[in-house]
Amino acid sequence: AQSVTQLDSQVPVFEEAPVELRCNYSSSVSVYLFWYVQYPNQGLQLLLKYLSGSTLVKGINGFEAEFNKSQTSFHLRKPSVHISDTAEYFCAVSDTGGFKTIFGAGTRLFVKA
Amino acid sequence: NAGVTQTPKFQVLKTGQSMTLQCAQDMNHNSMYWYRQDPGMGLRLIYYSASEGTTDKGEVPNGYNVSRLNKREFSLRLESAAPSQTSVYFCASGGDFSYEQYFGPGTRLTVT
């Protein structure tokens, strides 16, 4: 069975500082990995995904993530955050069938002025 | 192009009442999904439909039924609502070869 652990429930950070949101997964099979963002009172939207190929994945809004197979991690990073990045971020994993996606509990990012 | 739409946006039910949550997508996706979101638990898959005419259980199917009415529409029914079903419900559709999901705006359901 697959599982996803987001290591921080809340991350406060000052505007223009770098941020890393941590995600570890467990699976006995090959997986696809995703980061989604949820702004208040909205649905989720995709930030980036890893299906295969380069382990460094770039997404929207200046975010990137690195797939590390040996450490079973997929941490999300941004070199300089903005107030508008305040949201909840979800790491997710699916098997290569793609239908059953498991989401982490989420990390709330607070960007302070 | 509206993407994924859900109705209603808000609903309050009494224990034992029934209701159907509606979902439609206009992206011609084959797969559709229903999730519930509870504080501190992320999203949990209730049911999914890999293609028109098929449905399968997800992680938390008890107390729910689904219908894939056609390629566009996927409804979720609560036959006898319970307070434990108080949650925010999201419908999503899936890109066929991209594996990403596109989410609706959600339905906030309260069962008293």
Side-chain angles (χ1 to χ4, degrees), chain B residues 53-103:
Chain B
T54 69
T55 60
D56 283 289
K57 294 178 181 179
E59 190 181 350
V60 288
N62 291 344
Y64 305 95
N65 286 300
V66 290
S67 295
R68 183 75 182 266
L69 304 169
N70 48 55
K71 192 170 185 179
R72 289 188 63 246
E73 298 172 289
F74 188 38
S75 62
L76 178 72
R77 183 160 178 84
L78 287 70
E79 291 291 353
S80 179
S84 60
Q85 295 178 305
T86 292
S87 188
V88 181
Y89 291 85
F90 287 100
C91 176
S93 68
D96 293 340
F97 300 104
S98 67
Y99 302 100
E100 65 190 82
Q101 295 183 20
Y102 298 81
F103 286 81

Side-chain angles (χ1 to χ4, degrees), chain A:
Chain A
Q2 297 164 336
S3 66
V4 178
T5 302
Q6 291 185 241
L7 297 161
D8 305 291
S9 60
Q10 297 185 58
V11 174
V13 63
F14 285 103
E15 193 174 20
E16 299 183 7
V19 70
E20 178 180 80
L21 306 184
R22 297 179 294 164
C23 173
N24 287 105
Y25 70 93
S26 67
S27 176
S28 58
V29 298
S30 295
V31 296
Y32 297 144
L33 295 158
F34 308 84
W35 276 99
Y36 286 86
V37 61
Q38 184 180 33
Y39 299 103
N41 299 313
Q42 294 186 25
L44 280 70
Q45 62 184 84
L46 184 73
L47 272 180
L48 49 79
K49 63 186 177 188
Y50 172 80
L51 302 183
S52 65
S54 173
T55 58
L56 184 61
V57 180
K58 293 191 184 297
I60 62 171
N61 300 342
F63 284 94
E64 62 180 34
E66 185 153 19
F67 170 55
N68 187 319
K69 189 174 182 180
S70 62
Q71 296 188 6
T72 60
S73 68
F74 191 54
H75 300 334
L76 180 71
R77 301 185 183 99
K78 186 170 183 178
S80 176
V81 295
H82 302 290
I83 297 287
S84 59
D85 292 323
T86 294
E88 189 155 22
Y89 293 79
F90 292 93
C91 181
V93 60
S94 73
D95 60 25
T96 53
F99 294 120
K100 289 192 174 182
T101 300
I102 304 296
F103 287 81
T107 297
R108 287 191 180 274
L109 176 64
F110 294 103
V111 182
K112 302 177 285 186

